[in-house]
Amino acid sequence: MTDTNDTNAGGGAEGPDDGPARRRRRVIGTPPATGPALAAEDPREAAEAGAAYPGMFHARPEKEQRSGERWASVAFLVAMVAGIGFFVAYFAFRIGEHAPEGSATLAARYSNFGLGLSLAIALLAIAVGMTIWVRKVMPHYEVVDERHDPPSGGERREFGDYFMKGANESGIVKRPMLRRTLLLAMVPLGLAPIVLLRDLGPNNIEVLRHTAWAPGPDGRPRRLLIEGTNQPILAAEFDSPGSIITVLPEPDPGEDGHEGHLSLTEQAKAVTLLIKMRPEELALPPERLDFTIDGIIAYSKVCTHVGCAAALYEQTTHRILCPCHQSTFDARNGGEVIFGPAGRALPMLPLAVDSEGYLVAVSDYPDAVGPSFWERGPNFWERGNEHLDPEEGS
Amino acid sequence: MSQPTTPPKALGALGTYLDERFHGSSMLRTNMRKVFPNHWSFMLGEVALYSFIIVLLTGVFLTLWFRPSMLEVEYTGSYAPLQGVMMSEAYASALHISFDVRGGLLVRQIHHWAALIFVAAILMHMMRVFFTGAFRKPRELNWLIGATLLILAMVEGLLGYSLPDDLLSGVGIRLMQGVALAVPVIGSYAQMFLFDGEFPGEAIIPRLFTVHVLLLPGIMLALVGAHVLIVWIQKHTQYPGRGRTESNVVGTPMYPAFAVKAGAFFFFVFGFTALMASVFQINPIWLFGPYTPTSISAGSQPDFYIGFMEGSLRLFPQWEPLIFGHPLSLSTLIPALVIPGILFTALMLWPFLEAWITGDKRQHHTADRPRNAPTRTALGVTGITFYGVLLLAGANDLISEIFYIDLYLTTWIFRVSLIVGPIIAFIVTRRVCLGLQRRDRDELHHGYESGIVKQLPSGEFIEVHQPVGADAAVELRSKVASEPLEIRTGAVDENGVPDPRTRSPLGKLRGAASRWFTRDKVDFDEHDGGHGDGHAAVEEGAGSGRAAVSSGPSDKH
Ligand code: HEM
Ligand code: FES
């Protein structure tokens, strides 16, 4: 829809005082060159000459108008046909349960294609028709409108003066008590909506420190269950170095003997990576070796940056990579950050084996998992803990 | 049928009907012939407006079927791979829209494409306004409204992306939670309030839904209205050209020509969006699966307008000091809140900052050519480069994969480019602007190179220079001198006493900023008689009183 000069049908595209076209083509959108029809430089003159607008106005030659009318009508007819095509497509393409068995995706795609294409053609054809109408049938306008504000200096003060006059008349200027008490009256009302937001949520932020790994009501350490299958893991069977699985804590048994269930909210905090390495690959200080069982080591899967699932594991280097912003943690030395923005190591879950040989968590994570928050405080190890006290974490 | 002499009945009756009710309303008449200048770059704002309308229309359609609920249900719809899977009602209903509502997928895809076009158009429109100086007095307030709309549009898009509760959208919500937690002192409470407890809880999607379909669209609609109204009242800026002055607007009248043009353009934008939606798949939520906090898909990308935040989070190195025993998550706070905060604050304050630096209190209705404001243009390109590096860094995993570059190396390359790139961009852009100005001057004084080569009797070859046309001359001359005001150059009064205002530290700073902003001028008046061919090729009058420029000091001739 760019108005280039060559749409100017009124002749005179090469005015006598114009440079050759090359120079002007660089100035897309500037007004068409002065031609004979433009002679009325003074807007009033043009108005007197009978034009509807001050400035310039080019009627297009009748022949051009007629062909414009014809083409625009063709476009509008195309739009109508395509519009009808939309209805046809709506009923012709069967989707969902009416689609042939097992082809829901394909059916949706065909329907989308039919509906979308007919709609697009209808809309675009209307656009084309209207454009032809403007450019071939309507006159070309080059109207001059005066601005009413002075270009520089001498600002008009009418509104300001009028405003002040009204303010004076109303007494709000002269009577400070009126003004101030009105403001005072507004303050509580202004705060009311904020107070109303208070019940948006609880403020027991302590829950951020705990996960579903804390031993259940019976005090028994929780088993590690494979995510998806909910199977417990025999320590002896999780033995091929380099393997990694995602685990969740065994939930409390449900009511009336139903199977227990971990809510998404609990899963979001408790989700854990279980990794098996050769014991000699571990590079942990002795006190943290207590957390592992024969090269089996467990880290929170919640990235300590902003909380994505740190799901990628490089077997050869034992690095855990979070795909969100590529924080990289070293699984051998306690999940320390070796690259990327994460602020602290991935917390380690203290592991043990129960009497039946299944992997269990001795206690909850000794540190809050996931992104840091203001109240988190120093790390478990920074707090000067030498050994895991099972009470501490729970 | 091409020349009906009497109007169709309905049309004539409408005119009479309106006349009888609003007769003599001069306001109606003046507004009907409001003049809009023509230029392709003035249509960027229109694209934004029209895609906003499209997004509103399609969004209302989506609300008819979408269920903003996080209740767990078993999927029973017609998309076989997910049948029997537990998922939130929100996700199930988004699948229902995609597979079981005729035209539902189309509306979803148009909604998403239009949202992308909307934000992209706002960005482009904003660049146009910035580089032509159209934000200057009297249009500063509209700049502020526009910048607010940009921010709201980004937030609105982010919230929309979060609604279907697929795996990607859940990851987006997770990031919001992580960022909220990182805020010192109040962060943990903020996230508790936001989620009505912990992440993900059951409240967040209904809440985001209310904000997405009611609160933000309402505010945006009001702001868009105000924005357009102000343009209407202040009239559009125009590019310099013959017959255009600071006190007029030259272009197409609203009724009938501009209205039909604008209508056509609306249909173009809508048609183009519909075309995209029918041919290019966007956000195929069924492929991502329902959100579960235990997994993530690698290589997932947010919508492009969030990319710069993603990039900034990726580039920042580990930094989480303990402040009196409290962790301060700087490697989240700085990239996610501080950097966007600085970017947007700078964007919003710029019109006021520039006016303060240049001391320019005039009204401006003529668009600057970017080259004529080299420092501003260079600063703009600097900002875009900074933003662009962040945007690319948001896709560094893809870049590393496509070009076989080590992932961490890409991070380092972007870290360095983020500092070095903008500096180079500034220097180069300024140079280019000044070079272009010099070329303008030479063309004005010596004509332009016509490409015609002549052999002189002496055997020497020369290229013939042709005088520039009158229109071009007006444009070339449009450079308004932006001299630093005297108060900043240490002006003295009649008694030789320097203006006291220049001695305060702020005055000195302002002076320095002003000199920096306006240094390296290309003086259009110095005629160097070096060349022998066609001098002073422009006819008198081309740049005279009617030219778009209120003659600045260097504009006289
Ligand atoms: C003004 C700017 C708006 C933007 C930038 C925007 C953006 C988005 C985006 C990116 C999505 C994700 C779509 C997808 O599934 O791929 C979305 C979803 C949605 N939007 Fe909007 N939107 C806007 C306005 C609205 C309005 C005004 C409404 C309703 C009145 C609305 C209703 C919805 C609904 C119901 C969904 C979820 C449906 C679904 O995902 O299938 N939106 N929006
Ligand atoms: S969330 Fe893991 S790196 Fe950002």
Side-chain angles (χ1 to χ4, degrees):
Chain A
M1 290 232 317
T2 308
D3 252 36
T4 48
N5 296 329
D6 44 37
T7 57
N8 174 15
E14 290 283 313
D17 51 1
D18 283 305
R22 180 204 149 256
R23 188 60 191 80
R24 284 185 297 106
R25 224 177 289 123
R26 297 220 324 245
V27 239
I28 296 167
T30 49
T34 313
L38 260 169
E41 276 269 282
D42 182 344
R44 266 156 306 157
E45 229 174 89
E48 277 157 25
Y53 302 96
M56 187 279 263
F57 158 101
H58 270 312
R60 315 213 184 244
E62 174 60 20
K63 208 171 122 220
E64 189 181 343
Q65 291 197 35
R66 218 171 312 134
S67 108
E69 180 188 17
R70 217 170 301 128
W71 283 111
S73 309
V74 169
F76 292 148
L77 283 178
V78 169
M80 193 199 62
V81 172
I84 293 172
F86 183 83
F87 295 109
V88 174
Y90 188 87
F91 294 107
F93 290 102
R94 326 226 64 193
I95 65 163
E97 55 195 75
H98 308 290
E101 193 64 34
S103 63
T105 328
L106 220 54
R109 187 166 302 159
Y110 287 146
S111 158
N112 183 62
F113 196 68
L115 288 169
L117 221 54
S118 52
L119 179 66
I121 292 173
L123 293 166
L124 290 173
I126 292 181
V128 168
M130 286 173 85
T131 307
I132 296 174
W133 173 17
V134 175
R135 309 192 112 200
K136 298 286 175 202
V137 182
M138 266 194 217
H140 178 83
Y141 297 89
E142 197 66 41
V143 175
V144 179
D145 201 3
E146 296 301 316
R147 292 182 192 277
H148 297 295
D149 40 11
S152 56
E155 307 288 319
R156 286 204 301 192
R157 299 254 331 132
E158 280 151 39
F159 177 73
D161 292 344
Y162 186 77
F163 182 77
M164 277 323 294
K165 200 159 154 257
N168 280 327
E169 282 167 11
S170 77
I172 194 112
V173 179
K174 233 179 24 205
R175 314 218 169 269
M177 195 156 77
L178 181 76
R179 201 166 64 223
R180 287 173 198 156
T181 48
L182 178 61
L183 284 178
L184 277 180
M186 298 292 189
V187 172
L189 287 180
L191 294 176
I194 299 174
V195 174
L196 272 181
L197 291 180
R198 167 59 194 86
D199 276 351
L200 270 180
N203 61 0
N204 55 335
I205 54 171
E206 277 305 302
V207 294
L208 291 172
R209 288 184 203 285
H210 306 296
T211 76
W213 288 107
D218 55 359
R220 224 160 36 104
R222 293 188 193 261
R223 283 184 178 164
L224 279 58
L225 303 187
I226 299 175
E227 195 236 335
T229 64
N230 289 345
Q231 293 306 307
I233 305 154
L234 282 169
E237 284 179 6
F238 189 61
D239 58 356
S240 63
S243 10
I244 177 167
I245 46 174
T246 299
V247 295
L248 286 168
E250 181 184 8
D252 289 334
E255 277 159 37
D256 326 324
H258 281 294
E259 213 180 305
H261 175 72
L262 266 194
S263 70
L264 279 190
T265 306
E266 287 300 350
Q267 291 183 24
K269 280 192 299 182
V271 62
T272 296
L273 280 177
L274 191 69
I275 300 172
K276 164 76 182 174
M277 284 180 234
R278 273 184 285 277
E280 65 275 15
E281 286 174 318
L282 284 173
L284 285 174
E287 71 273 12
R288 294 205 214 183
L289 269 178
D290 290 355
F291 279 43
T292 68
I293 302 284
D294 191 28
I296 300 177
I297 187 164
Y299 291 104
S300 165
K301 195 178 174 179
V302 190
C303 182
T304 54
H305 182 217
V306 279
C308 285
L312 306 182
Y313 181 64
E314 246 181 12
Q315 282 186 356
T316 46
T317 53
H318 301 296
R319 285 171 170 183
I320 300 167
L321 177 80
C322 173
C324 278
H325 315 103
Q326 296 133 13
S327 288
T328 310
F329 307 88
D330 191 342
R332 288 171 313 174
N333 71 359
E336 294 296 337
V337 182
I338 46 182
F339 194 85
R344 63 198 177 102
L346 289 175
M348 267 170 79
L349 184 69
L351 297 180
V353 177
D354 70 8
S355 53
E356 293 171 57
Y358 288 110
L359 285 171
V360 295
V362 180
S363 73
D364 197 354
Y365 280 101
D367 270 319
V369 300
S372 286
F373 48 95
W374 185 249
E375 295 81 3
R376 176 176 64 79
N379 258 331
F380 178 72
W381 305 106
E382 284 163 4
R383 291 198 297 266
N385 293 298
E386 294 271 291
H387 295 284
L388 183 70
D389 171 2
E391 297 303 298
E392 167 91 23
S394 50
Chain B
M1 63 182 211
S2 60
Q3 280 289 355
T5 39
T6 50
K9 227 188 197 150
L11 220 57
L14 179 70
T16 317
Y17 186 90
L18 291 179
D19 256 349
E20 284 168 1
R21 271 132 198 103
F22 304 100
H23 60 98
S25 165
S26 65
M27 196 188 83
L28 259 177
R29 226 179 32 236
T30 352
N31 280 321
M32 273 169 81
R33 44 177 248 206
K34 188 111 207 153
V35 167
F36 288 86
N38 298 314
H39 194 269
W40 64 266
S41 70
F42 297 162
M43 296 195 304
L44 296 168
E46 283 186 64
V47 180
L49 179 64
Y50 303 147
S51 42
F52 181 59
I53 294 172
I54 297 167
V55 140
L56 289 179
L57 292 176
T58 49
V60 171
F61 256 91
L62 291 175
T63 57
L64 301 180
W65 293 281
F66 182 70
R67 294 219 190 110
S69 151
M70 298 175 85
L71 217 68
E72 290 271 308
V73 294
E74 188 182 324
Y75 180 66
T76 54
S78 54
Y79 181 61
L82 288 176
Q83 276 158 5
V85 172
M86 297 300 289
M87 58 179 64
S88 68
E89 264 196 291
Y91 183 61
S93 70
L95 291 176
H96 177 74
I97 294 175
S98 306
F99 291 109
D100 298 297
V101 175
R102 277 176 283 184
L105 181 60
L106 183 67
V107 175
R108 256 197 70 229
Q109 302 210 114
I110 294 183
H111 191 70
H112 207 134
W113 275 119
L116 295 184
I117 294 173
F118 179 49
V119 185
I122 296 181
L123 285 172
M124 303 284 290
H125 171 58
M126 203 156 207
M127 285 190 239
R128 193 287 287 175
V129 170
F130 181 86
F131 287 116
T132 60
F135 55 78
R136 289 173 297 173
K137 188 175 169 185
R139 296 182 177 76
E140 311 94 320
L141 291 183
N142 233 8
W143 172 266
L144 282 185
I145 292 179
T148 310
L149 276 168
L150 170 66
I151 298 171
L152 293 182
M154 288 177 166
V155 174
E156 177 74 349
L158 181 66
L159 300 189
Y161 194 82
S162 308
L163 287 183
D165 204 24
D166 58 283
L167 187 55
L168 291 190
S169 81
V171 169
I173 297 178
R174 178 60 147 174
L175 300 193
M176 290 185 219
Q177 184 238 1
V179 172
L181 278 182
V183 177
V185 187
I186 58 164
S188 321
Y189 297 97
Q191 97 83 86
M192 283 289 170
F193 284 16
L194 203 59
F195 287 80
D196 192 8
E198 290 184 272
F199 170 86
E202 280 173 2
I204 190 68
I205 286 194
R207 285 180 179 180
L208 296 187
F209 179 74
T210 307
V211 179
H212 182 78
V213 307
L214 189 66
L215 186 62
L216 287 185
I219 297 175
M220 291 171 79
L221 205 57
L223 288 179
V224 167
H227 196 77
V228 173
L229 187 71
I230 291 178
V231 173
W232 198 277
I233 292 173
Q234 293 183 331
K235 303 199 169 108
H236 213 287
T237 53
Q238 61 192 348
Y239 283 94
R242 208 144 50 121
R244 305 180 187 182
T245 73
E246 279 286 357
S247 58
N248 72 7
V249 215
V250 180
T252 311
M254 202 283 283
Y255 180 81
F258 185 78
V260 179
K261 266 180 158 178
F265 199 44
F266 170 75
F267 283 105
F268 266 124
V269 174
F270 203 166
F272 178 73
T273 316
L275 192 65
M276 298 291 279
S278 51
V279 184
F280 297 110
Q281 175 169 289
I282 186 159
N283 204 16
I285 48 168
W286 55 93
L287 298 182
F288 309 140
Y291 178 65
T292 126
T294 57
S295 47
I296 189 160
S297 71
S300 58
Q301 292 289 316
D303 277 346
F304 84 91
Y305 44 85
I306 300 299
F308 81 104
M309 273 174 125
E310 178 82 1
S312 117
L313 279 164
R314 287 180 184 192
L315 290 193
F316 213 81
Q318 177 184 21
W319 194 12
E320 189 176 297
L322 280 183
I323 307 292
F324 303 113
H326 294 289
L328 187 61
S329 310
L330 291 175
S331 45
T332 304
L333 281 175
I334 295 181
L337 298 177
V338 178
I339 289 182
I342 290 175
L343 272 178
F344 285 119
T345 312
L347 202 65
M348 291 202 157
L349 289 185
W350 178 253
F352 307 98
L353 207 61
E354 185 183 306
W356 182 75
I357 292 175
T358 58
D360 188 349
K361 294 201 169 58
R362 291 169 297 176
Q363 304 253 356
H364 292 277
H365 299 299
T366 303
D368 268 339
R369 299 172 79 211
R371 68 186 65 175
N372 289 340
T375 311
R376 180 205 298 142
T377 303
L379 277 175
V381 177
T382 306
I384 293 172
T385 310
F386 188 78
Y387 178 91
V389 172
L390 289 180
L391 188 62
L392 282 179
N396 72 333
D397 45 351
L398 299 185
I399 291 173
S400 139
E401 207 172 292
I402 294 167
F403 297 106
Y404 301 105
I405 308 173
D406 178 61
L407 185 64
Y408 302 137
L409 182 63
T410 62
T411 307
W412 272 108
I413 292 173
F414 284 122
R415 282 176 182 168
V416 174
S417 326
L418 190 65
I419 314 278
V420 179
I423 298 177
I424 296 178
F426 183 84
I427 296 170
V428 170
T429 310
R430 231 180 117 103
R431 287 261 172 106
V432 169
C433 286
L434 291 170
L436 287 172
Q437 278 191 35
R438 261 178 229 117
R439 209 177 75 187
D440 284 356
R441 180 193 56 194
D442 294 345
E443 245 177 58
L444 199 56
H445 292 323
H446 310 303
Y448 69 94
E449 295 167 2
S450 61
I452 304 166
V453 177
K454 255 192 195 163
Q455 191 177 22
L456 297 182
S458 60
E460 185 192 352
F461 285 96
I462 59 153
E463 191 178 0
V464 175
H465 283 229
Q466 301 265 26
V468 295
D471 284 328
V474 171
E475 198 191 5
L476 292 177
R477 285 205 165 270
S478 68
K479 191 173 106 103
V480 184
S482 42
E483 306 275 306
L485 286 201
E486 287 180 37
I487 113 171
R488 267 147 291 135
T489 49
V492 292
D493 63 16
E494 311 94 77
N495 307 321
V497 182
D499 188 319
R501 278 171 299 173
T502 59
R503 280 174 310 192
S504 69
L506 202 61
K508 283 193 180 128
L509 177 71
R510 193 176 171 189
S514 180
R515 278 189 297 278
W516 169 75
F517 194 76
T518 52
R519 69 162 202 248
D520 293 340
K521 291 196 301 292
V522 175
D523 189 345
F524 268 48
D525 279 335
E526 119 208 348
H527 288 234
D528 53 315
H531 288 275
D533 47 62
H535 223 259
V538 196
E539 310 94 274
E540 275 315 306
S544 64
R546 295 200 65 84
V549 185
S550 54
S551 299
S554 76
D555 196 44
K556 53 185 180 297
H557 44 88

